[in-house]
């Protein structure tokens, strides 16, 4: 079976990207799926793209398997979410490798402190913890990580 193809998201896919984002976020146990959450994520996608996001998807023959949102000028990996049915297949690692082609020297990210599975994964992938701060918009404590290319 061929791997999903990583490519830029199309505007007609934003709603489906929002669904993948919601289901992946809910799979962490930190939220439950709801129409309200889905509507908020779909609106946020459009807002973030207007503010400079580069949005990519992993396309598995027409099925959105994952999303990756980068803010390249800020060296910021903002979102990396893999649909629950695709988790555990190294798709996250492929998306991270792709992000490194877009920001080859350095990038940073934030991860919710309670999402231990995610931040431990980023640590295994070479990201270094820098600090924790409360995110005022949602009250979550965020762990900040940075990756730099080895000299």
């Amino acid at each position: 079976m061929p791997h999903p193809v990583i490519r830029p998201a199309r505007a007609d896919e934003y709603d489906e990207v929002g669904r993948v984002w919601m289901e992946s976020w809910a799979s962490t146990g930190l939220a439950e799926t709801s129409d309200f959450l889905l509507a908020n994520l779909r609106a946020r996608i459009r807002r973030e793209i207007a503010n400079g996001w580069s949005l990519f998807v992993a396309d598995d023959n027409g099925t959105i398997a994952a999303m990756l949102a980068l803010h390249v000028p800020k060296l910021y990996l903002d979102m990396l979410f893999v649909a629950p049915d695709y988790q555990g297949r190294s798709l996250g690692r492929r998306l991270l490798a792709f992000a490194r082609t877009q920001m080859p020297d350095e990038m940073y990210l934030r991860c919710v402190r309670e999402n231990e599975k995610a931040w431990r994964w980023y640590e295994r992938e070479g990201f270094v913890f820098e600090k924790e701060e409360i995110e005022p918009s949602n009250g979550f404590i965020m762990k900040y990580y940075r990756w730099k290319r080895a000299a």
Side-chain angles (χ1 to χ4, degrees):
M1 176 164 88
H3 288 298
V5 174
I6 299 169
R7 60 166 177 77
R10 298 186 315 262
D12 66 330
E13 297 172 317
Y14 294 169
D15 286 349
E16 180 63 10
V17 171
R19 186 194 59 75
V20 168
W21 184 1
M22 177 183 71
E23 290 177 357
S24 179
W25 176 239
S27 77
T28 67
L30 296 172
E32 293 184 11
T33 61
S34 70
D35 291 339
F36 179 77
L37 176 58
L38 182 58
N40 280 331
L41 295 177
R42 286 175 169 169
R44 183 168 172 203
I45 288 169
R46 288 160 175 80
R47 211 171 41 247
E48 295 287 0
I49 287 172
N51 288 328
W53 254 15
S54 296
L55 182 62
F56 300 91
V57 296
D59 179 347
D60 186 20
N61 293 320
T63 298
I64 305 299
M67 68 168 292
L68 174 67
L70 307 174
H71 201 294
V72 176
K74 295 180 179 179
L75 302 175
Y76 184 44
L77 189 167
D78 197 356
M79 301 289 164
L80 191 164
F81 283 101
V82 177
D85 288 347
Y86 289 87
Q87 292 174 7
R89 301 185 191 180
S90 297
L91 185 51
R93 187 166 283 122
R94 288 187 56 226
L95 288 164
L96 186 56
F98 177 83
R100 286 179 171 143
T101 69
Q102 305 298 301
M103 299 176 287
D105 297 320
E106 178 180 10
M107 74 179 90
Y108 81 96
L109 60 84
R110 302 179 321 157
C111 191
V112 174
R113 181 176 65 185
E114 288 77 18
N115 191 358
E116 184 174 353
K117 182 179 177 186
W119 57 259
R120 290 214 183 272
W121 181 76
Y122 285 117
E123 288 176 355
R124 287 192 305 273
E125 294 296 324
F127 284 78
V128 176
F129 173 77
E130 291 189 329
K131 65 181 177 179
E132 286 186 349
E133 286 184 356
I134 293 175
E135 170 53 48
S137 70
N138 58 31
F140 282 117
I141 297 175
M142 306 298 290
K143 294 176 70 96
Y144 284 69
Y145 285 89
R146 185 167 306 274
W147 170 84
K148 290 185 180 185
R149 184 173 50 134

